[in-house]
Amino acid sequence: MTELALKLVNAEVLLPTGLENVALSFAEGVVCEGAEREVDLSGYMVLPGMVDIHGDGFERHVAVRRGAMKDMGAGLRAAEAELAGNGVTTAVLAQFYSWEGGLRGPEFADQILAALSEVRAQCLTDLRTQLRFETHMLEDYTAFEALVDKHAVGYVVFNDHIQHERLAKGLVPRRLNGMALKSRRSPETLHKLLQKMHDERAQVPEAVSALAGRLSAKGVRLGSHDDRSFEERAFWQNAGVTLSEFPETAEAGEAAHELNSGVILGAPNVVRGGSHNGNVSAVDLIAMGQCDALASDYHYPSLRRAAFFVAEAGLLPLHAAWALVSSGPARLLGLSDRGTLETGKRADMVIVDAKTKRFAATIAGGRISHMSGEVAARFIQSGS
């Protein structure tokens, strides 16, 4: 595939300091100076391509109801098309390694990572992986670390979705029958497994700290999920787990900010105006300056909507709001070659209708990954 060499003119270009009506050239996959072929983008904005640091919306593309597709590569290509259509040029696919089984089980994690290795070269969107490990699976630590090594996973997040409070009271976990169906176990078998992991919880801090140390030494980026308190975030930070995904309380969000952890919040939380399950509002944390990046979580279109909402609500100027979905997540991922439209950076950008804020085109690494409507005609006419 050959990269384009174009000069985009008459558009409002979002630079690190704000919107400016300047020409933007790119060639050989990077932003540069002085390409000859011009495309008139009057009426449009050009913004940095979005970096989605955590998204599991791909799950619906790689499964038919409760079963996985026989050709997961086709599902991943469909997910990539959706990502491109929503302005994402770099996407981290968040895959579970969990006792929940099914699409979130260890076997499926291995399959989806293998499928991604096969299709990645066919995609224009830069597809990356995150493995989400359930920390109380003490018997799986060795197998999990081996899977990270096998597929060169660069980002691991630690989760704990066990309902400890109910188990401590001798109560049956909520939605046990549904969880058992997904994990292909009987409710009784799953209940016993959950109780066992709950009873062994005192062993987890030492085990997970050691695992974090080994992964960090291999250059794996580490995050924690759903921090609830200062003590919880401090534990993870001391273990070398420097990213905090979706802190559930204002205390945890403030702790992450004070401890210089990278704070990642959910874009759907912003769009909804609050958490769907009563956790701290992402809007409030953004207003307090305690957010480094927004993630699509389960809904890719929310990235664009959340960034524009933050700007239009006056919480941040547009360049700072858009940084939450571009340069902010790129920085947390250690990707210094993208996130802004500066000379020498990857030619990752989105073209947006200035009035409607709808995406018209996505360019990833200097190649068109999505384009529709009037803007497509302008690109075609520029070559005639």
Side-chain angles (χ1 to χ4, degrees), residues 7 9 15 62 78 102 121 138 152 175 205 215 229 250 261 284 301 318 326 342 353 358 378 380 383:
K7 179 188 289 186
V9 298
L15 301 176
V62 296
L138 290 169
R175 302 180 296 280
L215 293 176
S229 66
S261 308
D284 291 344
L318 179 59
S326 56
E342 296 175 282
D353 186 294
R358 292 176 182 171
R378 297 196 190 187
I380 292 171

Side-chain angles (χ1 to χ4, degrees), residues 145-365:
E145 189 172 354
L147 189 66
V148 171
D149 292 342
K150 175 182 177 181
H151 294 287
V153 175
Y155 185 12
V156 165
V157 167
F158 297 111
N159 304 292
D160 176 17
H161 288 137
I162 296 174
Q163 298 174 35
H164 293 286
E165 291 184 5
R166 292 186 67 82
L167 291 168
K169 296 176 182 178
L171 300 175
V172 174
R174 293 188 180 90
R175 302 180 296 280
L176 178 64
N177 289 344
M179 290 191 295
L181 179 62
K182 291 180 180 179
S183 69
R184 298 180 181 176
R185 302 182 179 97
S186 69
E188 294 77 17
T189 299
L190 179 59
H191 191 183
K192 289 180 181 179
L193 175 61
L194 292 171
Q195 188 68 54
K196 178 178 183 294
M197 290 190 290
H198 169 73
D199 292 342
E200 295 174 344
R201 63 193 181 280
Q203 302 176 42
V204 171
E206 181 179 355
V208 77
S209 293
L211 175 60
R214 294 193 300 273
L215 293 176
S216 181
K218 299 173 185 177
V220 178
R221 203 162 297 271
L222 303 175
S224 61
H225 192 78
D226 292 347
D227 295 336
R228 299 173 183 84
S229 66
F230 186 97
E231 291 76 17
E232 192 171 343
R233 174 80 300 257
F235 166 81
W236 288 119
Q237 190 74 12
N238 290 334
V241 180
T242 57
L243 302 182
S244 177
E245 285 191 346
F246 314 145
E248 292 191 345
T249 65
E251 176 187 338
E254 184 176 353
H257 184 67
E258 289 182 3
L259 295 169
N260 293 318
S261 308
V263 181
I264 302 162
L265 303 177
N269 183 310
V270 175
V271 173
R272 289 172 59 93
S275 169
H276 70 281
N277 57 6
N279 294 331
V280 66
S281 167
V283 173
D284 291 344
L285 291 181
I286 292 170
M288 292 186 287
Q290 296 171 2
C291 176
D292 296 287
L294 290 172
S296 72
D297 198 1
Y298 53 85
H299 190 241
Y300 296 135
S302 288
L303 277 177
R304 168 187 64 88
R305 295 177 60 193
F308 281 124
F309 172 85
V310 168
E312 291 166 1
L315 296 174
L316 294 172
L318 179 59
H319 67 277
W322 199 260
L324 297 179
V325 297
S326 56
S327 60
R331 175 177 56 80
L332 296 185
L333 291 170
L335 302 175
S336 59
D337 64 339
R338 67 199 70 186
T340 63
L341 297 175
E342 296 175 282
T343 300
K345 295 290 183 76
R346 272 176 55 106
D348 291 343
M349 61 195 73
V350 290
I351 300 171
V352 179
D353 186 294
K355 292 182 179 179
T356 66
K357 303 299 190 294
R358 292 176 182 171
F359 285 125
T362 304
I363 296 172

